[in-house]
Amino acid sequence: MEKRHIIMLIIVAFICIIPFLLYNGLGEEQGYFGGADDKASQIIEETGYKPWFEPIWEPPSGEIESLLFAVQATIGALIIGYVFGYYKGKQKTA
């Protein structure tokens, strides 16, 4: 391996390890790793905003909601990958 590759691997290792050292033992109770969606929804609720409509169906649990989101992301990635592959293959034949 080149010296440059070793230096990049060390930098990547530091970037991955430093957050674990900085936030060791701290979690959502202390306000770390909270999502922006939660903060935004709290601010919106404080204004007294009422939604225009209710969802037609809500997933029974957070795990199913995460599963549906992952399936949606997978389908989108497959479509994008297909389009890129199609045009890349078309360029090779031309």
Side-chain angles (χ1 to χ4, degrees):
M1 284 181 111
E2 292 183 30
K3 186 177 179 182
R4 181 179 66 164
H5 292 129
I6 294 172
I7 292 172
M8 285 192 300
L9 285 173
I10 292 171
I11 291 171
V12 168
F14 277 126
I15 290 173
C16 293
I17 293 171
I18 287 174
F20 290 116
L21 298 175
L22 291 175
Y23 298 106
N24 187 20
L26 301 175
E28 288 187 36
E29 297 84 23
Q30 292 84 13
Y32 293 99
F33 308 111
D37 291 342
D38 294 335
K39 290 180 183 179
S41 64
Q42 289 173 356
I43 292 172
I44 291 171
E45 287 174 2
E46 289 173 3
T47 64
Y49 173 79
K50 301 288 183 211
W52 294 357
F53 58 89
E54 294 295 320
I56 297 171
W57 176 78
E58 286 191 31
S61 69
E63 290 84 9
I64 294 178
E65 185 175 357
S66 296
L67 171 71
L68 293 173
F69 181 76
V71 169
Q72 177 184 1
T74 303
I75 292 169
L78 287 171
I79 291 170
I80 290 171
Y82 174 79
V83 169
F84 279 137
Y86 177 78
Y87 284 113
K88 185 70 174 177
K90 204 171 184 182
Q91 283 179 350
K92 283 186 177 182
T93 59

